Amino acid sequence: MLPNVLPPTETDHVPVLADEVRELLAVRPGETVVDATFGAGGHARLLAEDLAGRGKLVAIDRDPGAKSYFDRFKARAGVDVRFLRGDFALVLAQLAANDVKADAILLDLGISSMQVDRPERGFSYATDAPLDMRMDPSSEPTAAAIVNTWDERELVTIFRRYGEERYAAPIARAVVRRRAETPFTRTGELVDVIKLAIPTPARFGEGHPAKRVFQALRIAVNDELGALEAALPAALEMLRPGGRLAVISFHSLEDRIVKRFVADQAKGCTCPPDFPVCVCGKEPTLRSLTRKPIRPSQLEVERNPRSASARLRGAART
Ligand SMILES: C[S@@+](CC[C@H](N)C(=O)[O-])C[C@H]1O[C@@H](n2cnc3c(N)ncnc32)[C@H](O)[C@@H]1O
């Protein structure tokens, strides 16, 4: 188990696209809201305000550190609130299986500043720490396990796919060479190997040279794309007719998953066009609320650089 989180403060996490999420989810008093990525509770606090004293908010997070933020939130929420710790894909599926219904569901993907800013979690390339990166410290694998055991081809694939790393191949080669002598245990060791594996000018290029590999490892460690793929149908099953779903993604692969899911669910009949009558009987289950993803304003990006890559999509249950 990782060391306890620091005491939460008001400035822990600035909720991204907060007004836009609020507008899209249009929460009304008396409704049931699910914040499936509670984090430090920034969005949850605003959505609870919209419930105006009547309704329910279910908070989900796989990181046990979120519980202390939830306890603070609960004390002031003014509505019925509950915290469920676990992977949102599993928790949403369990809630749906138990016929729990929701009017609004939010997924604000990725990691929160409370995770990045705690060096001992190993998410950051900026400080030397154990090479961990698990949102749920009881899950497997750690980032160290991936870099020490996955074969070179798999490493190239994730560095390229999840990190869009140009130098995926030389970095993976250098990782495999170094681990044959001494396995990786610390973030600093990986940063050093990445720096030496890329051409000198790239070390001083845009952003930190280890940024993309760290992002790739984090996505792989936490199976972030798999969790999203599994969560969307479960969220749909939970939504009442007219219920709204909002998803904030920070990676083009995540955004593509959301876009495709909404487009598929918004389609009615899938019979071939030359069929005289419909035989599939498929009805649309979602209506898209965002033709294009909503991006943060320039002002928001200036105030909160973390929001720069955010894309928000929304849909309503038919
Ligand atoms: C970007 S933060 C959310 C921040 C939050 N909206 C706020 O305003 O404070 C994402 C949170 O979702 C959690 N998370 C990410 N993937 C998850 C998953 N598959 N299941 C449960 N929680 C997850 C992370 O642990 C993190 O706390």
Side-chain angles (χ1 to χ4, degrees), residues 133-291:
M133 299 196 199
R134 291 171 298 173
M135 292 180 190
D136 173 354
S138 65
S139 68
E140 294 289 341
T142 61
I146 291 182
V147 296
N148 287 327
T149 62
W150 286 23
D151 69 43
E152 191 174 326
R153 249 178 323 141
E154 289 175 304
L155 293 176
V156 174
T157 305
I158 61 163
F159 295 164
R160 212 172 259 157
R161 215 168 110 70
Y162 301 162
E164 293 167 46
E165 174 55 66
R166 257 177 89 185
Y167 302 106
I171 294 172
R173 204 176 315 126
V175 164
V176 169
R177 211 179 303 131
R178 140 89 207 214
R179 80 187 185 195
E181 287 161 21
T182 329
F184 290 89
T185 57
R186 315 274 307 171
T187 53
E189 298 161 353
L190 182 59
V191 170
D192 291 345
V193 167
I194 294 169
K195 281 186 183 161
L196 288 176
I198 61 177
T200 314
R203 278 180 224 163
F204 306 99
E206 205 188 302
H208 192 285
K211 185 175 157 186
R212 289 171 296 276
V213 167
F214 270 60
Q215 172 182 292
L217 282 171
R218 193 206 83 210
I219 292 176
V221 164
N222 297 290
D223 185 22
E224 293 181 33
L225 301 179
L228 176 61
E229 296 259 20
L232 292 173
L236 172 64
E237 208 181 321
M238 279 192 76
L239 281 180
R240 288 201 177 93
R244 288 83 57 205
L245 170 69
V247 185
I248 304 176
S249 53
F250 293 86
H251 193 291
S252 56
L253 293 175
E254 288 171 343
D255 184 55
R256 200 175 311 156
I257 291 171
V258 180
K259 181 182 167 182
R260 285 209 186 128
F261 179 77
V262 173
D264 279 354
Q265 297 301 327
K267 251 191 250 151
C269 167
T270 52
C271 294
D274 55 342
F275 274 31
V277 286
C278 168
V279 291
C280 75
K282 190 172 175 287
E283 298 282 344
T285 51
L286 280 179
R287 179 170 55 84
S288 173
L289 298 174
T290 44
R291 219 169 51 80

Side-chain angles (χ1 to χ4, degrees), residues 13-16 35-44 60-63 66 86-89 106 108-115 135 222-224 227-228 250 306:
H13 187 92
V14 184
V16 169
D35 182 346
T37 47
F38 180 78
H43 286 105
I60 303 170
D61 205 295
R62 60 171 31 166
D63 189 330
D87 180 345
F88 53 52
L106 171 64
D108 174 18
L109 303 170
I111 40 172
S112 70
S113 6
M114 77 176 178
Q115 291 163 327
M135 292 180 190
N222 297 290
D223 185 22
E224 293 181 33
L228 176 61
F250 293 86
R306 206 188 80 84

